[in-house]
Amino acid sequence: MAGVFFRVGNTTFGGGYVTMGMLGRELVDTRRWLTRENFDLAFALCRVTPGTNLLAFCVAVGALICGLAGAIAAVMALTIPSAAVAVLFMQGFESFQGNRIAMAAIGGTVAAVAGMMWSTIWTILRPHVGGLTRNIQVILIAGGAFLASWKYHITPLPIIIAGTLIGFLWKDSKKS
Amino acid sequence: MNLFVLYLLLLKASVTSFSGLGSLPMVRNDFVVERHLMTDHQLNTAVVAGRTGPGPYGLYLVCVAYLVAGVPGAIAGFLALVTPAFLVIPLMRWIGARAEIPRIRSAIRGLLLASAGLLLSSSVPLTQDAVTGVFAAVLVVTSFLVLTFTRMDSAWLMLGAAVAGLATYFVV
């Protein structure tokens, strides 16, 4: 399991959401170590855990698969190599930024990351679509969160709280 | 600087934020404004380094700690970064035990949908930034299709995209 977190976490650029999406793809769809419901639970709870969401996600998923040892292994395997890379990158930042060949390679990966983000959105929303009421919920909550953040620049925490409250009050009788 | 104090300062910033860069205002206040341990330029470099490589954006905290106290500082920064993540375990036990209750399930669903909306708002500027021409647009669409409809490993996709970026540099 640590090998999966090491490989996916240290080859996926673009921040926490993309990495969580790629981990979900590997752990839920490919290896079936985790159910979609448990993935959703970990994904949801890491948003309300203080600190970096991705690390809370690793702890949650690692704990679900292999207990506390799994949580520690997951977070260490994902973070230690990329932390070392970040420190090394910072040391050589000025010369690296001026290297056009390196920047061309990074440009390619940035485009791939954009595609990864849309794939992650699709993966999250797909199980929640279907039926008029559920579709309205998706449009209202996901669309409302998008507008609140994109147009009105509201910070994530109140949006997350509002989404949770709407979900709590608007009970969904069907299981995802 | 005392490593334990460094750890506590970074832990304070980490535990009071809810996203990778959410701790930035507090870090700037403590390290640049109050204690003059680094300049704004150094802080910016740390943030860029944390964002450019793989892993979470919050890794910039490790870079900040490295700038302040070298490798031992980086270890203290790393520990400050990962400590709050373990709070999810009691949270998960409590919520997980109640996940079958319809209202709790609906609340989790609401949280998930709101997160998807937030991700959408992050994806739009990133896509606008990434699409610098027709070739980049093709890469974005290809990446989406490959990851959504095949089981190809994302590491191969990243490698392929880097090679494609290099190819455009040498060909165009």
Side-chain angles (χ1 to χ4, degrees):
Chain A
M1 190 200 70
V4 171
F5 277 83
F6 171 79
R7 183 169 46 77
V8 176
N10 293 287
T11 53
T12 308
F13 295 73
Y17 276 128
V18 182
T19 311
M20 284 185 241
M22 293 308 108
L23 282 169
R25 195 169 167 268
E26 179 92 21
L27 299 171
V28 178
D29 301 331
T30 307
R31 295 178 186 266
R32 302 186 192 283
W33 288 350
L34 198 65
T35 62
R36 174 59 58 189
E37 281 174 348
N38 275 340
F39 172 82
D40 284 354
L41 180 69
F43 190 89
L45 292 183
C46 78
R47 293 302 321 238
V48 291
T49 305
T52 304
N53 302 150
L54 174 60
L55 301 184
F57 176 81
C58 291
V59 169
V61 169
L64 282 168
I65 298 174
C66 293
L68 184 62
I72 295 169
V75 82
M76 295 297 163
L78 185 132
T79 320
I80 290 177
S82 47
V85 168
V87 169
L88 287 173
F89 186 81
M90 190 180 59
Q91 286 182 319
F93 180 68
E94 304 292 342
S95 55
F96 192 69
Q97 206 180 25
N99 187 325
R100 291 174 67 188
I101 295 175
M103 293 316 283
I106 288 176
T109 59
V110 166
V113 165
M116 280 181 180
M117 288 185 98
W118 289 103
S119 175
T120 304
I121 295 168
W122 173 255
T123 309
I124 296 169
L125 290 181
R126 191 183 48 193
H128 300 280
V129 176
L132 184 64
T133 314
R134 288 165 65 84
N135 286 349
I136 291 172
Q137 253 186 337
V138 169
I139 292 166
L140 193 80
I141 301 177
F146 167 71
L147 276 182
S149 171
W150 172 251
K151 193 169 166 65
Y152 300 105
H153 307 289
I154 297 172
T155 53
L157 193 59
I159 296 173
I160 291 287
I161 292 171
T164 311
L165 273 177
I166 293 171
F168 183 77
L169 296 171
W170 190 351
K171 198 173 73 176
D172 175 29
S173 54
K174 192 179 160 192
K175 229 178 162 179
S176 294
Chain B
M1 184 182 202
N2 182 301
L3 285 179
F4 187 62
V5 174
L6 179 64
Y7 169 78
L8 288 180
L9 281 175
L10 292 170
L11 181 65
K12 180 184 74 170
S14 179
V15 89
T16 53
S17 69
F18 285 84
S19 65
L21 292 177
S23 54
L24 191 58
M26 195 170 282
V27 169
R28 185 176 178 276
N29 187 59
D30 281 339
F31 288 83
V32 179
V33 179
E34 295 273 333
R35 294 169 188 258
H36 306 290
L37 290 167
M38 62 176 55
T39 62
D40 269 322
H41 180 72
Q42 285 176 310
L43 181 60
N44 279 342
T45 306
V47 171
V48 173
R51 287 187 69 125
T52 309
Y57 290 159
L59 281 177
Y60 87 95
L61 285 181
V62 180
C63 298
V64 165
Y66 176 79
L67 282 170
V68 173
V71 174
I75 294 168
F78 175 78
L79 292 174
L81 180 69
V82 300
T83 305
F86 286 84
L87 291 172
V88 79
I89 292 180
L91 196 62
M92 200 169 57
R93 290 231 168 105
W94 194 83
I95 302 272
R98 292 158 180 80
E100 290 304 310
I101 300 170
R103 263 200 206 286
I104 299 289
R105 207 170 62 217
S106 295
I108 292 170
R109 185 167 182 265
L111 201 163
L112 207 67
L113 294 177
S115 298
L118 286 171
L119 180 55
L120 195 60
S121 87
S122 314
S123 302
V124 173
L126 194 125
T127 307
Q128 285 172 334
D129 187 49
V131 180
T132 50
V134 177
F135 185 76
V138 170
L139 263 181
V140 172
V141 174
T142 307
S143 163
F144 170 77
L145 293 175
V146 165
L147 289 172
T148 309
F149 299 108
T150 75
R151 288 180 183 266
M152 186 198 271
D153 196 316
S154 59
W156 289 113
L157 184 77
M158 293 303 290
L159 185 67
V163 171
L166 282 175
T168 49
Y169 173 77
F170 286 112
V171 173
V172 180

